[in-house]
Amino acid sequence: MGFIDAAAASLTVALKLAPGNALARWNHSLSCLARGDYAQGWADYEWRWVWDQFPEPRRMPGAPQWRGEDLVGKRIYVWGEQGFGDILQFTPLAQILADRHGPAEIVLELSSPLVRLLSAVLDRPGMRVISRTDNPHRFGVDEGFDYHIPLLSPPHFLSLRVPDLPLLPGWLKISAEEVARGATLLPRAEPGKRRIGVVWAGRPQHSEDAHRSTPLALMGSMLDAVPDAQWISLQVGNRAGDALTFRGRLHDISDKLLDHIVAVDTGVAHLAGSMGKPVSLLLAHSVDWRWEIGSTSFPWYPNHSIHRQPDLGDWGSVIKNLREEYSVID
């Protein structure tokens, strides 16, 4: 409902009554992070591995978890968790870990669809990117390691705070070869027009997808109303077919060489943010912790502008604000 302060206060009372309640700890972490209280939020976020309904398995790959120990001369295995957006948002922490602690090597294990893109950016002496292993309790390579750590745990052990953000602005640099390949996917550029990508739905398996995704039909008024826009669909999955309704006004291609992106809370918003691209982010009223509460900007990605539902399900107001961002007058 957006009552974050009240939720945090209620959960604080709950934890005084039941300090070992993992679900209360988990929800307390989300409420603290949403308020920008990163010190308490990251500490309680570690309770995700105690909560028996957390969707990721708790991995035990044959080395102790890193908790801030000296890493000079050591090898550490960092493994991605949760969704594509989580991995993209937190991957810069691997570089920060290397810069601050000087390990001999970091092996970064990621979901397979991200490996080709991120290995081209990150692979070098002392850092290697590999695909996620099928067995959660085994390393994805044969070598031994001194430590392992899940990718969303370094914020706690590195004492990450809001003033430390953004982490590494525009860290995801696309090679000239990839840019050239992407150019072949785009329609011919229309003189004087910006290419603006659109994503209106996230992964349907996400527990809050019904709230965070929006019907493409609600955005129809934008497609003709912005005179200097060439709209391009970046939608994948079952909802990609929605673009057929706007054939001729919405080009359906991949996610390359765009000037701006309009997206709901999904991995594409993190991909664009990692590349330093401007994003108009459309958020549901019941919002994920990372987008904070009430703000129209986002410290992790300074180029994001945020448009939030004022009430649950009110996408109409969001689209109205988006139109104002583009200076569209009814």
Side-chain angles (χ1 to χ4, degrees), residues 113 116-117 174-186 253-257:
R116 183 176 66 87
L117 174 67
I174 306 301
S175 68
E177 292 78 10
E178 288 290 324
V179 171
R181 189 178 73 86
T184 66
L185 305 175
L186 285 166
I253 62 99
S254 187
D255 54 333
K256 302 293 182 181
L257 298 181

Side-chain angles (χ1 to χ4, degrees), residues 28 183 188:
H28 189 248
R188 183 184 298 275

Side-chain angles (χ1 to χ4, degrees), residues 201-323:
R203 180 170 53 91
Q205 293 82 7
H206 192 286
S207 60
E208 292 294 320
D209 192 61
H211 296 303
R212 68 174 181 168
S213 297
T214 180
L216 177 60
L218 291 179
M219 299 186 65
S221 63
M222 289 288 299
L223 299 182
D224 292 325
V226 183
D228 66 340
Q230 187 177 8
W231 295 97
I232 297 174
S233 169
L234 306 181
Q235 186 66 49
V236 297
N238 295 336
R239 297 287 300 276
D242 297 355
L244 294 174
T245 305
F246 298 97
R247 182 178 295 170
R249 293 183 287 166
L250 181 61
H251 302 279
D252 188 6
I253 62 99
S254 187
D255 54 333
K256 302 293 182 181
L257 298 181
L258 302 173
D259 302 302
H260 197 108
I261 291 174
V262 176
V264 294
D265 177 10
T266 186
V268 172
H270 292 278
L271 176 62
S274 299
M275 295 171 65
K277 301 296 183 181
V279 175
S280 299
L281 188 64
L282 315 183
L283 293 180
H285 182 66
S286 178
V287 69
D288 189 81
W289 69 265
R290 73 200 69 218
W291 308 118
E292 300 185 344
I293 298 296
S295 176
T296 58
S297 60
F298 182 51
W300 292 77
Y301 306 130
N303 287 330
H304 280 41
S305 61
I306 294 179
H307 303 275
R308 304 174 185 271
Q309 288 182 351
D311 298 294
L312 190 64
D314 184 3
W315 285 115
S317 294
V318 174
I319 300 303
K320 180 177 182 293
N321 290 337
L322 183 65
R323 289 167 61 91

Side-chain angles (χ1 to χ4, degrees), residues 22-306:
L23 179 57
R25 287 282 178 193
W26 166 251
N27 282 321
H28 189 248
S29 78
L30 302 184
S31 63
C32 288
L33 291 170
R35 300 197 298 173
D37 179 4
Y38 278 14
Q40 187 63 55
W42 293 129
D44 284 345
Y45 200 75
E46 291 300 294
W47 282 73
R48 67 195 184 280
W49 305 116
V50 184
W51 181 35
D52 60 3
Q53 295 185 51
F54 189 64
E56 287 274 348
R58 183 172 188 177
R59 300 177 64 173
M60 294 176 285
Q65 179 171 325
W66 183 72
R67 299 181 182 278
E69 296 89 346
D70 180 20
L71 286 177
V72 174
K74 306 292 186 180
R75 303 179 73 243
I76 182 169
Y77 192 87
V78 181
W79 47 275
E81 56 171 300
Q82 305 183 55
F84 293 153
D86 301 277
I87 292 174
L88 288 164
Q89 181 179 355
F90 288 87
T91 286
L93 289 167
Q95 180 61 54
I96 293 172
L97 191 65
D99 293 341
R100 289 191 189 179
H101 291 272
E105 184 180 32
I106 293 176
V107 172
L108 182 59
E109 181 203 87
L110 303 176
S111 301
S112 296
L114 294 174
V115 168
R116 183 176 66 87
L117 174 67
L118 297 189
S119 62
V121 177
L122 298 173
D123 267 355
R124 57 186 176 277
M127 187 173 297
R128 193 169 15 141
V129 177
I130 65 170
S131 293
R132 183 167 186 165
T133 176
D134 292 333
N135 186 337
H137 303 307
R138 293 181 63 87
F139 294 123
V141 291
D142 293 333
E143 303 99 305
F145 292 87
D146 298 288
Y147 297 99
H148 79 93
I149 190 167
L151 186 56
L152 273 68
S153 287
H156 175 46
F157 298 107
L158 293 173
S159 299
L160 183 71
R161 303 292 183 261
V162 173
D164 299 321
L165 302 176
L167 292 176
L168 297 174
W171 65 270
L172 184 52
K173 305 294 185 185
I174 306 301
S175 68
E177 292 78 10
E178 288 290 324
V179 171
R181 189 178 73 86
T184 66
L185 305 175
L186 285 166
R188 183 184 298 275
E190 299 178 22
K193 289 193 174 183
R194 295 172 291 168
R195 288 167 165 161
I196 303 178
V198 184
V199 179
W200 54 91
R203 180 170 53 91
Q205 293 82 7
H206 192 286
S207 60
E208 292 294 320
D209 192 61
H211 296 303
R212 68 174 181 168
S213 297
T214 180
L216 177 60
L218 291 179
M219 299 186 65
S221 63
M222 289 288 299
L223 299 182
D224 292 325
V226 183
D228 66 340
Q230 187 177 8
W231 295 97
I232 297 174
S233 169
L234 306 181
Q235 186 66 49
V236 297
N238 295 336
R239 297 287 300 276
D242 297 355
L244 294 174
T245 305
F246 298 97
R247 182 178 295 170
R249 293 183 287 166
L250 181 61
H251 302 279
D252 188 6
I253 62 99
S254 187
D255 54 333
K256 302 293 182 181
L257 298 181
L258 302 173
D259 302 302
H260 197 108
I261 291 174
V262 176
V264 294
D265 177 10
T266 186
V268 172
H270 292 278
L271 176 62
S274 299
M275 295 171 65
K277 301 296 183 181
V279 175
S280 299
L281 188 64
L282 315 183
L283 293 180
H285 182 66
S286 178
V287 69
D288 189 81
W289 69 265
R290 73 200 69 218
W291 308 118
E292 300 185 344
I293 298 296
S295 176
T296 58
S297 60
F298 182 51
W300 292 77
Y301 306 130
N303 287 330
H304 280 41
S305 61
I306 294 179

